[in-house]
Amino acid sequence: MDRVQSTSPQHPAGPHGGADRTSPSTGGTGPEGGPGSRRAAAQRQQMRQDLATAAMELFASQGYEETTVDQIAAAAGVARRTFFRYFRSKEEAIFPDHDDTLVRVADLLASAEPEEHPLDVVCRGIKEVLRMYASTPGVSVARYQLIRQVPALREREIAVVARYERLFTRYLLGRFDTGESIPSGWQRGGEDDSMLAEVSAAAVVAAHNHVLRRWLRAGGRGDVEAQLDHSFEVIRRTFWASSAPGARRRGSVVAPGANGTPGDTGVESALSASPGGEVLITVARTDAPLDVVVDSIRAALSGARES
């Protein structure tokens, strides 16, 4: 198996000379975020894609084990040393987009509004991964078929998935530490908080993987985002039956205890009620079953309307 022996960074910082077809830092210079840096970033991304495409074509035509890094580099029109400036090994070239996607997901989590339900934030994050696959169905299907045949690639894929799961777990645990109002189901204290964060993150990632594999086995056909949204609703009902007071579902206010199911009248929060309505206060034991609490609220509302 071809692996780089040096510790040089994966992304290039400047020209490297040699007979390469392109240099990853060409295209002008400029301040961070300026035209020059954006052009250089686009060129780096294009080179990664070119190397990944060359690798996939060679793996498909002559086999994974039979393909060398030298052959991949030659097919992409660059030198061997340039390959190792973008990828540490040939199996890494099969997953060229995950580093950028991981950064994008981390930015999404960091910029989420505090009042948005944390599980919804995680679901939005994993959907970015799905869109990465869905943007190139043909490549994704070919990669899936190759991964099924090569144990080393399956191990690499597992490692990649684990990075997203760890990122989501850290985010959910961070919501405990902020002291913000969060779903009461989380506030069990100590080890339960950690367990719920890990289980929730794992459930979202597992749902994504299940939907993605089913879509790939179908040849990349079908509305994969709609299938993932359905899986999210199943997770919400299973793990997160209650929401924090005022927690929002990306544009709608969710009342405490509402599960967010479309068409459920309980989704309307008291915050969205008519200004002229009266306030109803009910008292219930914390260990009372949810259906008993809901029945008592309904009875109280019914009595308020009749009086």
Side-chain angles (χ1 to χ4, degrees):
M1 181 180 299
D2 294 293
R3 289 184 181 274
V4 64
Q5 299 300 318
S6 69
T7 57
S8 58
Q10 181 173 339
H11 295 289
H16 198 289
D20 295 354
R21 173 169 51 83
T22 182
S23 175
S25 64
T26 58
T29 60
E32 184 177 355
S37 62
R38 288 195 297 270
R39 190 179 305 114
Q43 290 176 340
R44 289 194 295 270
Q45 180 63 22
Q46 184 61 52
M47 175 53 68
R48 286 173 62 83
Q49 291 294 340
D50 290 348
L51 287 167
T53 298
M56 284 290 299
E57 291 176 351
L58 287 171
F59 294 157
S61 63
Q62 64 185 32
Y64 173 78
E65 296 294 344
E66 291 73 19
T67 300
T68 67
V69 165
D70 287 337
Q71 292 173 330
I72 296 172
V78 300
R80 171 189 174 90
R81 61 186 176 182
T82 298
F83 176 93
F84 284 123
R85 294 169 69 189
Y86 290 90
F87 301 108
R88 290 182 289 269
S89 60
K90 67 180 184 180
E91 66 262 25
E92 195 172 89
I94 298 297
F95 308 95
D97 302 320
H98 278 294
D99 285 343
D100 291 336
T101 302
L102 195 72
V103 171
R104 191 163 62 250
V105 173
D107 290 342
L108 183 152
L109 299 179
S111 62
E113 298 176 0
E115 63 269 26
E116 184 179 359
H117 195 294
L119 185 65
D120 286 343
V121 178
V122 171
C123 289
R124 286 201 293 121
I126 199 67
K127 188 175 283 188
E128 288 295 313
V129 184
L130 185 78
R131 288 169 177 163
M132 177 196 70
Y133 285 98
S135 64
T136 54
V139 173
S140 297
V141 171
R143 180 167 50 198
Y144 171 69
Q145 293 171 344
L146 179 64
I147 290 172
R148 293 177 63 189
Q149 301 169 9
V150 182
L153 296 182
R154 288 200 296 272
E155 293 174 4
R156 177 69 187 175
E157 183 182 43
I158 292 171
V160 168
V161 170
R163 296 172 68 189
Y164 292 106
E165 191 169 322
R166 288 194 298 270
L167 178 63
F168 294 143
T169 300
R170 287 196 299 269
Y171 167 76
L172 292 174
L173 286 172
R175 292 295 297 268
F176 290 122
D177 298 335
T178 60
E180 298 171 356
S181 179
I182 57 178
S184 58
W186 282 49
Q187 297 170 335
R188 302 176 185 273
E191 295 180 357
D192 284 350
D193 286 350
S194 176
M195 180 271 293
L196 286 170
E198 291 188 16
V199 168
S200 298
V204 170
V205 172
H208 165 270
N209 293 344
H210 173 79
V211 169
L212 177 62
R213 284 193 296 266
R214 186 169 58 189
W215 179 74
L216 291 171
R217 286 195 294 267
R221 294 183 294 273
D223 190 345
V224 67
E225 284 199 33
Q227 297 173 35
L228 189 60
D229 286 337
H230 171 74
S231 296
F232 289 161
E233 288 303 323
V234 173
I235 292 174
R236 289 185 183 104
R237 291 195 300 268
T238 303
F239 293 99
W240 297 63
S242 61
S243 300
R248 291 198 295 108
R249 282 277 175 83
R250 291 292 289 178
S252 63
V253 181
V254 182
N259 61 16
T261 303
D264 187 345
T265 57
V267 175
E268 286 278 345
S269 169
L271 298 177
S272 63
S274 60
E278 297 181 354
V279 176
L280 172 67
I281 299 176
T282 62
V283 179
R285 290 176 57 90
T286 57
D287 58 353
L290 182 60
D291 56 342
V292 173
V293 176
V294 172
D295 288 343
S296 67
I297 294 174
R298 286 174 177 164
L301 287 172
S302 178
R305 293 191 186 101
E306 293 174 357
S307 60

